Coordinates of all heavy atoms in Angstrom, one line a residue:
N1 N 112.3 117.1 83.1 CA 113.6 117.3 82.4 C 113.4 117.3 80.8 O 114.0 118.2 80.2 CB 114.6 116.2 82.7 CG 115.1 116.2 84.1 OD1 115.0 117.2 84.8 ND2 115.6 115.1 84.6
Y2 N 112.5 116.5 80.3 CA 112.2 116.5 78.9 C 111.7 117.9 78.5 O 111.9 118.4 77.4 CB 111.3 115.4 78.5 CG 111.9 114.1 78.5 CD1 111.2 112.9 78.8 CD2 113.3 113.9 78.3 CE1 111.7 111.7 78.9 CE2 113.8 112.6 78.4 CZ 113.0 111.5 78.7 OH 113.6 110.2 78.8
E3 N 110.8 118.5 79.3 CA 110.3 119.8 79.0 C 111.4 120.8 79.1 O 111.4 121.7 78.2 CB 109.1 120.1 79.9 CG 108.5 121.5 79.6 CD 107.6 122.0 80.7 OE1 107.3 121.2 81.6 OE2 107.2 123.2 80.7
D4 N 112.2 120.8 80.1 CA 113.3 121.7 80.2 C 114.3 121.7 79.1 O 114.9 122.7 78.7 CB 114.0 121.5 81.5 CG 113.2 121.8 82.8 OD1 112.2 122.5 82.6 OD2 113.5 121.2 83.9
E5 N 114.4 120.5 78.5 CA 115.3 120.3 77.3 C 114.6 120.6 76.0 O 115.2 120.3 74.9 CB 115.9 118.9 77.3 CG 116.7 118.6 78.5 CD 117.0 117.1 78.6 OE1 116.7 116.3 77.7 OE2 117.6 116.6 79.6
N6 N 113.4 121.1 76.0 CA 112.6 121.5 74.9 C 112.3 120.2 74.0 O 111.9 120.4 72.8 CB 113.4 122.5 74.0 CG 113.6 123.8 74.7 OD1 112.8 124.3 75.5 ND2 114.8 124.4 74.5
I7 N 112.3 119.1 74.6 CA 111.8 117.9 73.9 C 110.3 117.9 73.9 O 109.6 117.4 73.0 CB 112.4 116.6 74.6 CG1 113.9 116.5 74.3 CG2 111.7 115.4 74.0 CD1 114.6 115.4 75.0
L8 N 109.7 118.4 75.0 CA 108.3 118.6 75.1 C 107.9 120.1 75.0 O 108.8 120.9 75.3 CB 107.7 118.1 76.5 CG 107.9 116.6 76.8 CD1 107.3 116.3 78.2 CD2 107.4 115.7 75.7
P9 N 106.8 120.4 74.4 CA 106.5 121.9 74.3 C 106.2 122.4 75.7 O 106.0 121.7 76.7 CB 105.2 121.9 73.5 CG 104.6 120.5 73.7 CD 105.8 119.6 73.8
P10 N 106.4 123.7 75.8 CA 106.2 124.4 77.2 C 104.8 124.0 77.8 O 103.8 124.0 77.1 CB 106.3 125.8 76.9 CG 107.1 125.9 75.6 CD 106.7 124.7 74.8
A11 N 104.8 123.8 79.0 CA 103.5 123.5 79.7 C 102.9 124.8 80.2 O 103.5 125.8 80.4 CB 103.8 122.5 80.9
E12 N 101.6 124.7 80.4 CA 100.9 125.7 81.1 C 101.2 125.7 82.6 O 101.7 124.7 83.1 CB 99.4 125.6 80.9 CG 98.9 125.6 79.4 CD 97.4 125.2 79.3 OE1 96.7 125.5 80.3 OE2 97.0 124.8 78.2
R13 N 100.8 126.7 83.3 CA 101.0 126.8 84.7 C 99.8 127.1 85.5 O 99.0 128.0 85.0 CB 102.1 127.9 85.1 CG 103.5 127.5 84.6 CD 104.2 126.5 85.4 NE 105.6 126.2 84.9 CZ 106.4 125.5 85.7 NH1 106.1 125.1 86.9 NH2 107.6 125.3 85.2
S14 N 99.5 126.4 86.6 CA 98.4 126.7 87.4 C 98.7 128.0 88.2 O 99.8 128.5 88.2 CB 98.1 125.6 88.3 OG 99.2 125.5 89.3
P15 N 97.6 128.6 88.8 CA 97.9 129.8 89.7 C 98.9 129.5 90.7 O 99.7 130.5 91.2 CB 96.5 130.1 90.3 CG 95.5 129.5 89.2 CD 96.2 128.3 88.7
A16 N 99.1 128.3 91.2 CA 100.0 127.9 92.2 C 101.4 127.6 91.6 O 102.4 127.3 92.4 CB 99.6 126.7 93.0
G17 N 101.6 127.6 90.3 CA 102.8 127.4 89.6 C 103.1 126.0 89.2 O 104.2 125.7 88.7
Y18 N 102.1 125.1 89.3 CA 102.3 123.7 88.9 C 102.1 123.5 87.4 O 101.3 124.2 86.8 CB 101.3 122.8 89.6 CG 101.5 122.7 91.1 CD1 100.6 123.4 92.0 CD2 102.5 122.0 91.7 CE1 100.8 123.3 93.4 CE2 102.7 121.9 93.1 CZ 101.8 122.6 93.9 OH 102.0 122.5 95.3
R19 N 102.9 122.5 86.9 CA 102.8 122.3 85.4 C 101.5 121.6 85.1 O 101.0 120.7 85.8 CB 103.9 121.4 85.0 CG 105.3 122.0 85.0 CD 106.4 121.0 84.6 NE 107.7 121.6 84.3 CZ 108.6 121.8 85.2 NH1 108.3 121.5 86.4 NH2 109.8 122.4 84.8
L20 N 100.9 122.1 84.0 CA 99.6 121.5 83.5 C 99.9 121.1 82.0 O 100.2 121.9 81.2 CB 98.5 122.6 83.5 CG 98.1 123.1 84.9 CD1 97.0 124.2 84.8 CD2 97.7 122.0 85.9
Y21 N 99.7 119.8 81.8 CA 99.9 119.3 80.4 C 98.6 119.0 79.8 O 97.6 118.8 80.5 CB 100.8 118.0 80.5 CG 102.2 118.2 81.0 CD1 102.7 117.7 82.2 CD2 103.1 119.0 80.3 CE1 103.9 117.9 82.7 CE2 104.4 119.2 80.7 CZ 104.8 118.6 81.9 OH 106.1 118.9 82.4
R22 N 98.7 118.9 78.5 CA 97.5 118.5 77.7 C 97.8 117.3 76.8 O 98.9 116.7 76.9 CB 97.1 119.7 76.8 CG 96.8 121.0 77.5 CD 95.5 121.0 78.3 NE 95.3 122.2 79.0 CZ 94.2 122.4 79.7 NH1 93.3 121.4 79.9 NH2 94.0 123.6 80.3
S23 N 96.8 116.9 76.0 CA 97.0 115.7 75.2 C 98.2 115.9 74.2 O 98.8 115.0 73.7 CB 95.7 115.4 74.4 OG 95.4 116.6 73.6
L24 N 98.5 117.2 73.8 CA 99.6 117.5 73.0 C 100.9 117.1 73.6 O 101.8 116.5 72.9 CB 99.6 119.0 72.7 CG 100.8 119.5 71.8 CD1 100.6 119.0 70.4 CD2 100.8 121.0 71.8
H25 N 101.1 117.3 74.9 CA 102.3 116.9 75.6 C 102.4 115.4 75.7 O 103.5 114.8 75.6 CB 102.3 117.6 77.0 CG 102.3 119.0 76.9 ND1 101.1 119.7 76.9 CD2 103.3 120.0 76.9 CE1 101.4 121.1 76.9 NE2 102.7 121.2 76.9
A26 N 101.2 114.8 75.9 CA 101.2 113.3 76.0 C 101.7 112.6 74.7 O 102.5 111.7 74.7 CB 99.8 112.8 76.4
Q27 N 101.2 113.2 73.6 CA 101.6 112.7 72.3 C 103.1 113.0 72.0 O 103.8 112.2 71.3 CB 100.7 113.2 71.2 CG 101.0 112.6 69.8 CD 100.9 111.1 69.8 OE1 100.0 110.5 70.4 NE2 101.8 110.5 69.1
A28 N 103.5 114.2 72.4 CA 104.9 114.5 72.2 C 105.9 113.5 72.9 O 106.9 113.1 72.4 CB 105.2 115.9 72.7
L29 N 105.5 113.1 74.1 CA 106.3 112.2 74.9 C 106.3 110.8 74.2 O 107.3 110.1 74.1 CB 105.8 112.0 76.3 CG 106.6 111.2 77.3 CD1 108.1 111.6 77.3 CD2 105.9 111.1 78.6
R30 N 105.1 110.4 73.7 CA 105.0 109.1 73.0 C 105.9 109.2 71.7 O 106.6 108.2 71.4 CB 103.6 108.8 72.6 CG 102.6 108.6 73.7 CD 101.3 108.1 73.2 NE 100.3 108.3 74.2 CZ 99.4 109.3 74.3 NH1 99.3 110.2 73.3 NH2 98.5 109.4 75.2
A31 N 105.9 110.2 71.0 CA 106.7 110.4 69.8 C 108.2 110.3 70.1 O 109.0 109.6 69.5 CB 106.4 111.7 69.1
F32 N 108.6 111.0 71.2 CA 110.0 111.0 71.5 C 110.5 109.6 71.9 O 111.6 109.2 71.4 CB 110.3 112.0 72.6 CG 111.7 111.9 73.2 CD1 112.8 112.3 72.5 CD2 111.9 111.4 74.5 CE1 114.1 112.2 73.0 CE2 113.1 111.3 75.0 CZ 114.3 111.7 74.3
L33 N 109.8 109.0 72.8 CA 110.2 107.6 73.2 C 110.3 106.6 72.1 O 111.1 105.8 72.0 CB 109.3 107.2 74.4 CG 109.4 108.0 75.7 CD1 108.4 107.5 76.7 CD2 110.8 108.0 76.2
A34 N 109.3 106.7 71.2 CA 109.3 105.9 70.0 C 110.5 106.2 69.1 O 111.1 105.3 68.5 CB 107.9 106.0 69.3
L35 N 110.7 107.5 68.9 CA 111.8 107.9 68.0 C 113.2 107.4 68.6 O 114.1 107.0 67.9 CB 111.8 109.4 67.8 CG 110.7 110.0 66.9 CD1 110.7 111.5 67.0 CD2 110.9 109.5 65.5
R36 N 113.3 107.5 69.9 CA 114.5 107.2 70.6 C 114.9 105.7 70.4 O 116.1 105.4 70.3 CB 114.4 107.5 72.1 CG 115.8 107.4 72.8 CD 115.6 107.8 74.3 NE 114.7 106.9 75.0 CZ 114.4 107.0 76.3 NH1 114.9 108.0 77.0 NH2 113.6 106.2 76.9
S37 N 113.9 104.8 70.2 CA 114.2 103.4 70.0 C 114.9 103.2 68.7 O 115.7 102.3 68.6 CB 112.9 102.6 70.1 OG 112.3 102.7 71.4
G38 N 114.5 103.9 67.7 CA 115.1 103.7 66.4 C 116.2 104.7 66.0 O 117.1 104.3 65.3
Y39 N 116.1 105.9 66.4 CA 117.0 107.0 66.0 C 118.1 107.2 67.1 O 119.1 107.9 66.7 CB 116.3 108.3 65.7 CG 115.4 108.2 64.5 CD1 114.1 107.7 64.6 CD2 115.8 108.7 63.3 CE1 113.3 107.6 63.5 CE2 115.0 108.6 62.2 CZ 113.7 108.1 62.3 OH 112.9 108.1 61.2
G40 N 117.9 106.8 68.3 CA 118.9 107.2 69.4 C 118.4 108.4 70.1 O 117.7 109.2 69.5
H41 N 118.9 108.6 71.3 CA 118.5 109.7 72.1 C 118.8 111.1 71.4 O 118.0 112.0 71.4 CB 119.1 109.7 73.5 CG 118.7 110.7 74.4 ND1 117.6 110.5 75.3 CD2 119.1 112.0 74.6 CE1 117.4 111.7 76.0 NE2 118.3 112.5 75.6
Q42 N 120.0 111.3 70.9 CA 120.5 112.5 70.5 C 119.6 113.0 69.2 O 119.2 114.1 69.2 CB 122.0 112.5 70.1 CG 122.5 113.8 69.6 CD 124.0 113.8 69.4 OE1 124.6 112.7 69.7 NE2 124.5 114.8 68.9
I43 N 119.5 112.1 68.3 CA 118.8 112.5 67.1 C 117.3 112.6 67.4 O 116.6 113.5 66.8 CB 119.0 111.4 66.0 CG1 120.4 111.4 65.6 CG2 118.1 111.7 64.7 CD1 120.8 110.3 64.5
A44 N 116.7 111.8 68.2 CA 115.3 111.9 68.6 C 115.1 113.3 69.3 O 114.1 113.9 69.0 CB 114.9 110.8 69.5

């Protein structure tokens, strides 16, 4: 859902269509969850 809401950058896709994430996506999720604690969900 976070990816669909553009909170995470778009993921790559495997030949079978599965999402493939990288370290960039892992850090994006860490940043969002940390921002949400201080800024709130909407602003984060």
Side-chain angles (χ1 to χ4, degrees):
N1 290 342
Y2 290 151
E3 181 192 349
D4 294 339
E5 296 169 8
N6 298 322
I7 292 174
L8 303 182
E12 303 173 21
R13 293 283 181 165
S14 69
Y18 294 105
R19 288 176 169 89
L20 301 178
Y21 295 114
R22 302 290 179 180
S23 61
L24 177 68
H25 300 86
Q27 184 56 41
L29 183 58
R30 295 187 197 104
F32 169 70
L33 296 177
L35 288 169
R36 190 176 64 178
S37 298
Y39 292 84
H41 184 95
Q42 183 176 355
I43 297 179

